[in-house]
Amino acid sequence: MSETFVIAQGGGPTAVINQTLAGTVIEARRRYPGARVLGARHGVRGIRDGDFVDLSALSDEELKRIAATPSAALGSTRDKPDTAYCETILKGLRQAGATAFVYIGGNDTAGTQQILAEAATGDIAFVHAPKTIDNDLVENDHTPGFISAAEFVAGAFLSIDLDFRALPGIYVGIVMGRHAGFLTAASAAWRQDDESAPHLVYVPERAFSATRFVDDVRAVVSRHGRCVVAMSEGVATEDGRPLVESLVPADRLERDAHGNIQLSGGDLGMAVEQLLKDGLPGTRARVDTFGYLPRGNIATINPTDAREAFEAGVFAVEAAARGGGSVALQYGNGATLPRLVPLAEVAGKTRHMPDDFLMPEANQVSPQCMTYLKRLLPKRFDPAKSFV
Amino acid sequence: MSETFVIAQGGGPTAVINQTLAGTVIEARRRYPGARVLGARHGVRGIRDGDFVDLSALSDEELKRIAATPSAALGSTRDKPDTAYCETILKGLRQAGATAFVYIGGNDTAGTQQILAEAATGDIAFVHAPKTIDNDLVENDHTPGFISAAEFVAGAFLSIDLDFRALPGIYVGIVMGRHAGFLTAASAAWRQDDESAPHLVYVPERAFSATRFVDDVRAVVSRHGRCVVAMSEGVATEDGRPLVESLVPADRLERDAHGNIQLSGGDLGMAVEQLLKDGLPGTRARVDTFGYLPRGNIATINPTDAREAFEAGVFAVEAAARGGGSVALQYGNGATLPRLVPLAEVAGKTRHMPDDFLMPEANQVSPQCMTYLKRLLPKRFDPAKSFV
């Protein structure tokens, strides 16, 4: 029987998710000459609706151009299918004659594949290929998409540090990340010296206290004459509720279909600005919401990230041949390689920053975290020291 | 008599302002062997306080490393000296034995030089070297710092466009710019086709109407299924007041020493988000404040911008030899070259976008604007078309 691969992309796009798409298409055609490769538009929604793109006839050149383009070329979706929805998807896959379904995405995407694999009777191989700027997939040393986004954040904080040396004040940069602080921590990767920004790092893994925050900032300002802060949009108070929930009037809070509070960053930013105005009146304070800027930025596509994402796509074809599962980037002996792990190991689970990546007593990343970041993000710039 | 150059940097830093510093130092030493070159820390404040760095002995290698580093290596200031302050500066310059004072900055900086030149008796040459990401200096085709910042904005909107093709919704990116919309308009530079973002461009040069805005966005959404908006933080209503003033409660508004409302972007962003929630309920809408990210970003230093900024610094030495004035980047016969213009021509004046850079009936840049942008920002990326 001839092979038919269905491929889809789920969740927030990244700078390199199309590398994974291209890797799968190229490898599937190499391994199974004459194989059909169908792309579903907007994730599982395209399978449900029979909305496919035939990728079989694209030249390698066209595929490489797609690979080098950020965001999800097939479109994406935030749908988290329930059992009934999964039945429809399964029907759609069978109608398309699928022998394998490769779904590129995060832990929700792995969850969908797990439900599908359980509902199917073994006639289709379900593969999850990793993707997320949040770096929050268990079983992975790091995830495709993270390094490029992290490079944007590291470069931004290096630049902001230089800016605020020249014109001192307080700066808060709010970075995407609901449950995991890796991307926010990446702000520290290219620190030049002990005085460099970010001077404070607030991540969802540590309870946030508004009083402590203002005290922290005041102490840094009195020591360095300026203070640059990196903050995850998902920082939460002691009771586990998002900070934004306790600072913003209830009628302004927006919730998504799953009841999660929308963390666009703007509300949090304004609330933090108010904390600073009240706590340190008269000190220049600025808050920016990085929002979507880091996640698929065409100017900061990291070549290692691109290569690893492509290789994860290639390996997805091997994973299908072995009956399916989740592709995980694992690290050992100085190399990062894709491995096959059971879907159940990854599905729906969130990887948090290890406890020792954060200082026990300070809102700051630890030397262990810096070692990890420096491995993934070798220094790209060598700025001069300023005279101030 | 031996030459003593005093150099300072004023206003918001840029990605290439240190190129201008290095250009002046290197040329001053080449032209006047044995010349002293002093850098004043934090602009005129350093002259007032006698706070100088001796730049005479730095190697060309050290200077080139400084040149390649964004932000103002000498530190900057927002001080706009009055006559009494200028007297103190003049005294400081004479104490330092200055024969020339090169002040790198925007139109306020040119204004300071004009006051000083009028108060002095011709013993010191006062030179203004141009710098601003706002691109709002008259007599200049464009200003050092603009191209790099514009490249950040162009790349960001190209990337956001790809992102919002994959996961449709409304996006508003708020870009720095109080009176001039050039940087916001740069969002259109790398548009791929007629459907590309930004679909709407709001700049300070056109009166903003909240009703019209919501109607505009609704029309784009119904046509393209998504809408990406570029908005200057300085957009103003028909009466000339900043939009943020009419949308944000008075007790939240912050004013600087000059009575200008602080345009950090966050307040405007939240107000715009509310307009969209009210006017297009149920449609996903996100607002990011780019804030400081474009202005001195180490990842997007444009080589042409760097070269032109260096050449402006070199030419500042020639300008001093001619008795002082303002260095202006002028364009003709396919080349951009620095010219000398009187300080009074530039001091305190704001260059706005030419009227024909905007469409008469739409909130959008015109073909004339695109021609200008494409000359300054040749396409750097060639992304593939997405399948959605």
Side-chain angles (χ1 to χ4, degrees), chain B residues 170 200 202 208-221 227 229 231 271-281 363:
Chain B
I170 302 166
L200 296 166
Y202 298 89
F208 182 93
S209 141
T211 319
R212 170 75 189 266
F213 168 66
V214 173
D215 289 345
D216 284 349
V217 172
R218 189 181 293 114
V220 173
V221 169
C227 179
V229 178
M231 189 181 288
V272 165
E273 204 171 294
Q274 196 60 50
L275 285 179
L276 294 171
K277 277 182 190 173
D278 295 342
L280 288 97
N363 289 299

Side-chain angles (χ1 to χ4, degrees), chain B residues 289-359:
Chain B
T289 52
F290 285 32
Y292 292 80
L293 295 174
R295 89 172 177 188
N297 203 298
I298 201 162
T300 55
I301 303 178
N302 177 283
T304 302
D305 196 18
R307 180 178 49 74
E308 289 178 352
F310 186 86
E311 286 167 3
V314 169
F315 188 78
V317 178
E318 167 67 16
R322 293 195 212 162
S326 182
V327 178
L329 290 194
Q330 299 189 343
Y331 178 77
N333 300 318
T336 301
L337 289 170
R339 308 280 186 205
L340 187 61
V341 299
L343 285 167
E345 295 298 316
V346 178
K349 291 180 185 164
T350 299
R351 176 187 176 214
H352 295 282
M353 293 228 288
D355 200 51
D356 67 358
F357 271 31
L358 296 162
M359 300 297 279

